[in-house]
């Protein structure tokens, strides 16, 4: 009986399904069908346009022979670790500081959050000018009399990737702060009060009691930052456009240039599939966790 | 609640149907369309002024010019947009394109057949063979060449040279380095340059010839011979690139080429190594060739010309637009336009039967050198601009050259990477 009732379509169901149908259909076609298409393209000899000559794993073999791709992967690793690590630390620190001093909240919270309201292109362009030795901070410091001041990371192949990290952290830390702030507010007052009564210092209070209770917030932060790190494209394009030379190429810019400007669509698709796999590694455990939580 | 949903649904269906019907009637009322859409990346001062000549010419003939400019020196953005539009069946009538890209497009069957116009106006007899390699595919004319540029040029600020006692033209690499040293010692920037991959590669074209002569350029850049690519001569070429790197200002990376030209024009820097499109910038700034600025072949490459030719590739369009498209093709190759355009742009005409009377000293020299190089077999396609090898190889070479020039690789490492990169790209 119950099984039959489950499948009976009521009027409400019908409306819900009709309304949802376009979204579901469009997502199926424009997200999932194209993922499958991209995977297929990565096994073909596509160059300027998609074509359907099967070449097996050749594109993947070529991809991993490319120095350019190794640079991109290495940069992604540097970028992701620093970006996720430092924005989490800064975000948490700002959240705790605001939480400790309720009066400053209305003033500081918007200030910390504003960078997130700016598009990545604007952030990238602004930081490009700011870090440019000819017009930015170096010049200003030198005009103020600090003639020995030098900050030329953005023009240096070895350090340019760190300028992207700086700009990205500047942008996202406030957002991370808000997530942690919400997590902090959700902690029941009783535990904190009893800890204070027991004579815990502020440091012990946070390290032993508060932060361990933020595990859900930490998980969200890692997933959000993880996928943003892999996707980052606009910031790099605006800030360094992959340069100097090819020093700040990331998998996303690599994928774009091979697919769309270098007439090597097969290799571009292979790199996209590889990025998808990295995504999967980050997202799937999270989704499983979520679904499990929902079922319970 | 439910009622309003139903009403919304009906509304959506009705509007979408009427939109569809509206589209249909528009199609039925098709007439001859006298407009041509032209996609190009000529947005800097000299370039835009040159293209305006064509626009005015066509507008005088009653054809509406729809301009689709996409900034970016080597045309990377333009190519991306073009690909999306061609896939969506919305290709423009004509698109600016370079070298091997044209062949790639032709292979896919996207391009129009211009044989009618070509035959009527006898293009076969007047266009150099080196260009026909790219404007014809399997005997079918698919593109109208606009100009011939060459990349192995040095542009110099005459006043700085005179002041420092540097005699121009400079013809040997040793003299060139001495001159660069002199400028640097005087406190100015010796070499104005923008560190974008294609600009680095443009310098590399000339440097390869200066290091090993025309035969070496042909073996390494056109025949892609692995022994030539991995040879000591190539090591020498990368060594020369490292030498040049020492004469740049610290703030060079990412600078656009026309800003580098402006540095020479304003006297902040003495030299720029750039293709002859830079001449348009100098002329546009009111500079007089011979008194304000001088140009000479990259020292050590006299007699050899590395060329690239801008062409307008014609895409297959509706019958209604064919007439306008053919008018555009014919206008591009008319001698009057070739002269008017190329005197402004700084290049030389794509036809060999055009008089050089209206050109400057530099233009006349360019036309003469092109004809001579064509005769002597020292006219080669430029690697940096996609006329020596297909896009995949070109970009592989550019990756190595730009990474080396920006300090990621040492000289010997760059040679090794170059051999690998070219092999992987083929």
């Amino acid at each position: 009986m119950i099984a039959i009732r489950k499948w009976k379509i009521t009027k409400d169901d019908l409306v819900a399904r009709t309304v949802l149908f376009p979204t579901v259909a469009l997502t199926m076609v424009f997200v999932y069908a194209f993922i499958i298409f991209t995977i297929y393209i990565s096994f073909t000899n596509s160059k300027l346009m998609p074509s359907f000559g099967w070449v097996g794993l050749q594109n993947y073999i070529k991809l991993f022979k490319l120095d350019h791709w190794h640079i991109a992967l290495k940069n992604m690793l540097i970028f992701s670790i620093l970006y996720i690590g430092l924005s989490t630390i800064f975000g948490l620190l700002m959240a705790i500081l605001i939480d400790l001093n309720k009066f400053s909240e209305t003033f500081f919270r918007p200030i910390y959050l504003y960078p997130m309201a700016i598009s990545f292109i604007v952030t990238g362009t602004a930081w490009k000018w700011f870090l440019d030795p000819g017009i930015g901070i170096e010049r200003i410091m030198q005009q103020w009399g600090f003639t020995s001041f030098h900050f030329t990371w953005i023009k240096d192949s070895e350090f340019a990737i760190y300028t992207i990290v700086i700009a990205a952290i500047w942008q996202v830390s406030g957002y991370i702060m808000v997530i942690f702030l919400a997590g902090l507010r959700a902690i029941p007052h009783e535990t904190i009060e009893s800890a204070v009564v027991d004579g815990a210092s502020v440091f012990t209070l946070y390290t032993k009691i508060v932060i361990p209770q933020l595990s859900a917030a930490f998980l969200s932060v890692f997933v959000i930052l993880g996928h943003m790190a892999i996707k980052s494209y606009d910031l790099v394009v605006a800030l360094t456009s992959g340069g100097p030379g090819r020093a700040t190429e990331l998998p996303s810019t690599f994928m774009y240039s091979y697919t769309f400007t270098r007439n090597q669509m097969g290799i571009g698709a292979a790199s996209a599939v590889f990025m998808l796999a990295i995504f999967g590694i980050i997202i799937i455990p999270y989704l499983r966790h979520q679904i499990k939580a929902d079922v319970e | 609640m439910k009622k309003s949903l139903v009403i919304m649904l009906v509304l959506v269906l009705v509007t979408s149907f009427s939109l569809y019907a509206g589209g249909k009637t528009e199609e039925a009322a098709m007439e001859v369309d006298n407009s041509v859409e032209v996609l190009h990346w000529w947005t800097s001062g000299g370039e835009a002024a040159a293209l305006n000549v064509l626009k005015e010419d066509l507008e005088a003939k009653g054809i509406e010019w729809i301009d689709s400019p996409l900034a970016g020196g080597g045309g990377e953005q333009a190519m991306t947009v073009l690909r999306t539009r061609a896939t969506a069946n919305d290709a423009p009538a004509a698109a600016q394109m370079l070298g091997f890209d044209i062949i790639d497009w032709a292979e896919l069957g996207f391009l129009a057949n211009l044989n009618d116009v070509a035959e009527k106006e006898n293009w076969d007899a007047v266009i150099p063979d080196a260009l026909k390699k790219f404007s014809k595919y399997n005997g079918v004319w698919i593109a109208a060449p606009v100009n011939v540029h060459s990349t192995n040029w040095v542009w110099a600020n005459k006043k700085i040279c005179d002041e420092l006692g540097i005699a121009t033209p400079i013809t040997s690499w040793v003299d060139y380095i001495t001159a660069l040293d002199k400028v640097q010692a005087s406190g100015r920037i010796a070499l104005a340059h923008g560190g974008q991959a294609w600009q680095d590669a443009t310098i590399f074209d000339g440097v390869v010839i200066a290091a090993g002569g025309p035969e070496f350029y042909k073996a390494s850049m056109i025949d892609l011979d692995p022994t030539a690519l991995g040879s000591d001569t190539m090591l020498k070429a990368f060594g020369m690139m490292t030498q040049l790197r020492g004469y740049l200002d610290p703030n060079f990376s990412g600078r656009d080429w026309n800003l580098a030209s402006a540095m020479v024009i304003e006297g902040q820097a003495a030299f720029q190594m750039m293709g002859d499109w830079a001449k348009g910038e100098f002329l546009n700034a009111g500079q007089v060739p011979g008194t304000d600025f001088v140009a000479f072949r990259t020292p050590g490459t006299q007699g050899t010309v590395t060329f690239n030719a801008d062409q307008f590739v014609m895409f297959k369009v509706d019958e209604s637009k064919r007439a306008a498209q053919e008018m555009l093709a014919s206008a591009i190759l008319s001698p009057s336009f070739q002269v008017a355009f190329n005197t402004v742009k700084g290049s030389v005409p794509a036809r060999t039967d055009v008089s050089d009377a209206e050109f400057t000293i530099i233009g006349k020299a360019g036309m003469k050198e092109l004809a001579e190089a064509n005769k002597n077999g020292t006219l080669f396609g430029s690697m940096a601009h996609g006329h020596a090898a297909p896009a995949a190889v070109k970009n592989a070479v550019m990756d190595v050259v730009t990474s080396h020039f920006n300090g990621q690789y040492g000289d010997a490492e760059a040679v090794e990477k170059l051999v690998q990169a070219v092999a992987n790209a083929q």
Side-chain angles (χ1 to χ4, degrees):
Chain A
M1 270 310 276
I2 293 161
I4 293 167
R5 257 195 65 200
K6 204 174 168 187
W7 289 104
K8 196 181 157 200
I9 295 171
T10 63
K11 255 189 192 164
D12 276 349
D13 273 356
L14 197 66
V15 172
R17 273 159 216 233
T18 324
V19 172
L20 277 178
F21 177 74
T23 323
V24 173
L26 290 177
T27 315
M28 288 314 275
V29 173
F30 288 106
V31 178
Y32 294 98
F34 277 100
I35 288 177
I36 293 165
F37 186 61
T38 305
I39 294 172
Y40 181 69
I41 288 290
S42 74
F43 291 104
T44 65
N45 60 354
S46 302
K47 291 230 149 71
L48 181 73
M49 292 273 181
S51 66
F52 304 104
W54 187 264
V55 293
L57 281 172
Q58 216 185 75
N59 286 327
Y60 290 88
I61 295 166
K62 275 189 183 166
L63 177 67
F64 278 91
K65 273 192 190 163
L66 284 171
D67 240 27
H68 198 176
W69 174 244
H70 290 287
I71 294 172
L73 284 182
K74 197 182 117 203
N75 281 340
M76 188 185 72
L77 207 68
I78 297 176
F79 178 75
S80 309
I81 291 173
L82 291 177
Y83 175 66
I84 297 175
L86 292 177
S87 345
T88 309
I89 293 171
F90 285 133
L92 184 60
L93 213 63
M94 289 192 294
I96 290 174
L97 288 179
I98 281 189
D99 195 46
L100 283 176
N101 186 352
K102 298 259 158 68
F103 295 111
S104 61
E105 182 174 347
T106 40
F107 179 68
F108 282 111
R109 202 176 51 181
I111 291 185
Y112 290 157
L113 199 50
Y114 273 141
M116 198 61 199
I118 302 173
S119 90
F120 286 107
I121 295 286
V122 177
T123 309
T125 313
W127 277 90
K128 178 166 96 179
W129 290 340
F130 182 64
L131 295 171
D132 189 300
I135 51 175
I137 180 156
E138 180 176 308
R139 192 185 154 92
I140 289 170
M141 294 301 270
Q142 288 179 353
Q143 279 174 342
W144 283 350
F146 302 96
T147 42
S148 61
F149 181 88
H150 284 292
F151 191 75
T152 52
W153 281 14
I154 197 166
K155 303 286 179 188
D156 188 317
S157 297
E158 262 178 64
F159 289 101
I161 185 73
Y162 300 106
T163 62
I164 295 175
V165 175
I166 294 173
I169 290 175
W170 174 82
Q171 176 144 38
V172 87
S173 293
Y175 179 61
I176 300 307
M177 173 205 73
V178 174
I179 297 174
F180 279 126
L181 204 55
L184 287 174
R185 295 288 149 81
I187 295 171
H189 276 279
E190 294 81 9
T191 41
I192 295 173
E193 274 159 19
S194 57
V196 172
V197 170
D198 287 344
S201 70
V202 175
F203 183 76
T204 344
L205 177 70
Y206 275 98
T207 49
K208 293 270 157 70
I209 310 223
V210 175
I211 293 176
Q213 290 192 63
L214 287 175
S215 65
F218 270 106
L219 188 65
S220 310
V221 163
F222 284 139
V223 171
I224 289 168
L225 290 178
H227 89 267
M228 279 170 88
I230 299 171
K231 279 201 307 200
S232 17
Y233 172 81
D234 17 20
L235 187 64
V236 186
V237 167
L239 193 62
T240 63
S241 56
R246 301 286 186 227
T248 52
E249 208 78 72
L250 287 178
S252 54
T253 56
F254 176 97
M255 189 279 288
Y256 176 81
S257 74
Y258 274 74
T259 314
F260 297 109
T261 60
R262 291 171 171 239
N263 303 355
Q264 287 178 288
M265 198 175 268
I267 293 179
S271 69
V273 172
F274 197 81
M275 281 168 71
L276 182 72
I278 305 175
F279 261 130
I281 293 171
I282 296 177
I283 298 286
I284 288 172
Y286 174 72
L287 286 181
R288 279 189 53 179
H289 177 87
Q290 284 295 74
I291 290 166
K292 239 161 96 190
D294 280 354
V295 169
E296 279 161 14
Chain B
M1 172 68 195
K2 237 182 259 170
K3 215 174 174 184
S4 62
L5 268 177
V6 172
I7 290 171
M8 260 169 65
L9 207 69
V10 170
L11 268 177
V12 165
L13 285 174
V14 168
T15 39
S16 56
F17 180 75
S18 52
L19 277 175
Y20 173 75
K24 274 280 170 207
T25 44
E26 212 170 276
E27 221 167 276
M30 183 182 79
E31 279 169 28
V32 173
D33 187 346
N34 264 332
S35 68
V36 277
E37 183 179 0
V38 182
L39 189 137
H40 62 89
W41 60 87
W42 281 333
T43 49
S44 82
E47 297 172 327
L51 196 61
N52 213 30
V53 175
L54 182 60
K55 188 177 162 185
E56 278 165 10
D57 185 31
L58 281 170
E59 274 168 359
K61 290 177 184 155
I63 289 180
E64 189 198 347
W65 173 282
I66 304 171
D67 205 36
S68 296
L70 288 149
E76 279 189 15
Q77 280 88 335
M79 286 301 107
T80 310
V81 170
L82 186 61
R83 186 180 327 229
T84 345
R85 293 193 46 184
T87 320
N89 237 337
D90 178 35
Q96 181 189 358
M97 222 181 264
L98 290 167
F100 278 91
D101 282 348
I102 303 176
I103 305 301
D104 284 349
W105 280 97
E107 275 172 5
L108 293 169
F110 275 96
L111 306 185
N113 183 337
L114 296 175
N115 278 1
D116 289 350
V117 201
E119 228 164 84
K120 206 163 63 196
E121 304 191 351
N122 205 17
W123 291 1
D124 260 315
V126 296
I127 293 171
D129 288 338
L131 292 191
K132 273 188 233 163
K133 216 172 114 190
F134 301 108
S135 19
K136 283 174 89 170
Y137 180 72
N138 285 343
V140 175
W141 282 91
I142 47 175
V146 187
N147 59 17
V148 183
H149 274 299
S150 58
T151 59
N152 53 331
W153 285 99
V154 177
W155 303 85
N157 183 310
K158 188 77 167 51
K159 288 197 184 92
I160 299 180
C161 289
D162 289 345
E163 196 182 300
L164 299 174
I166 298 164
T168 52
I170 301 169
T171 50
S172 78
W173 191 261
V174 182
D175 291 348
Y176 186 47
I177 295 300
T178 321
L180 287 166
D181 277 333
K182 266 189 197 168
V183 181
Q184 202 162 39
S186 79
R188 294 188 188 83
I189 297 162
L191 192 59
H193 179 70
Q196 295 168 339
W198 72 270
Q199 293 189 50
D200 302 339
T202 303
I203 294 189
F204 192 65
D205 276 352
V207 165
V208 168
I209 302 168
E215 301 78 29
F216 179 67
Y217 183 86
K218 185 171 184 298
S220 60
M221 295 287 113
I222 293 177
D223 303 337
L224 305 174
D225 172 11
T227 45
L229 287 167
S231 66
D232 286 345
T233 320
M234 192 53 83
L235 184 66
K236 191 177 151 201
F238 278 110
M240 288 155 81
M241 291 295 281
T242 309
Q243 257 182 327
L244 291 178
R245 174 76 168 77
Y247 297 106
L248 308 178
D249 61 313
N251 203 17
F252 75 101
S253 53
R255 178 187 289 141
D256 284 325
W257 69 270
N258 46 334
L259 299 181
S261 300
M263 290 165 67
V264 177
I265 293 170
E266 287 162 11
Q268 293 171 27
F271 300 104
Q272 182 189 18
M273 299 173 83
M274 185 43 62
D276 52 14
W277 48 91
K279 192 173 75 181
E281 291 303 305
F282 283 86
L283 295 179
N284 228 28
Q287 299 256 301
V288 182
T291 55
D292 293 323
F293 73 102
V294 283
F296 45 88
R297 292 285 169 191
T298 305
T301 69
Q302 291 79 7
T304 309
V305 174
T306 46
F307 81 94
N308 68 309
D310 287 296
Q311 312 219 13
F312 276 113
V313 172
M314 303 294 165
F315 278 81
K316 281 185 182 155
V317 288
D318 282 347
E319 268 316 303
S320 63
K321 289 184 178 171
R322 276 291 289 175
Q325 189 182 43
E326 291 196 341
M327 294 263 280
L328 171 70
S330 139
I332 290 169
L333 273 161
S334 71
S336 61
F337 167 70
Q338 290 274 331
V339 171
F341 179 87
N342 286 305
T343 44
V344 181
K345 178 79 159 64
S347 43
V348 304
R351 299 172 68 117
T352 49
D353 62 340
V354 176
S355 145
D356 68 356
E358 309 227 351
F359 286 83
T360 59
I361 333 168
I362 298 169
K364 283 189 175 122
M367 284 172 80
K368 210 176 98 214
E369 282 167 2
L370 180 76
E372 272 168 18
N374 193 21
K375 211 169 63 200
N376 300 337
T378 51
L379 176 63
F380 302 117
S382 151
M383 174 54 89
H385 297 271
H387 282 70
V393 175
K394 174 190 90 171
N395 283 301
V397 172
M398 273 212 219
D399 283 345
V400 178
V401 170
T402 191
S403 298
H404 166 263
F405 200 63
N406 285 285
Q408 263 166 286
Y409 302 145
D411 297 351
E413 199 185 359
V415 174
E416 201 181 296
K417 300 279 184 197
L418 184 69
V419 178
Q420 275 172 21
V422 171
N424 284 343
Q426 272 172 317

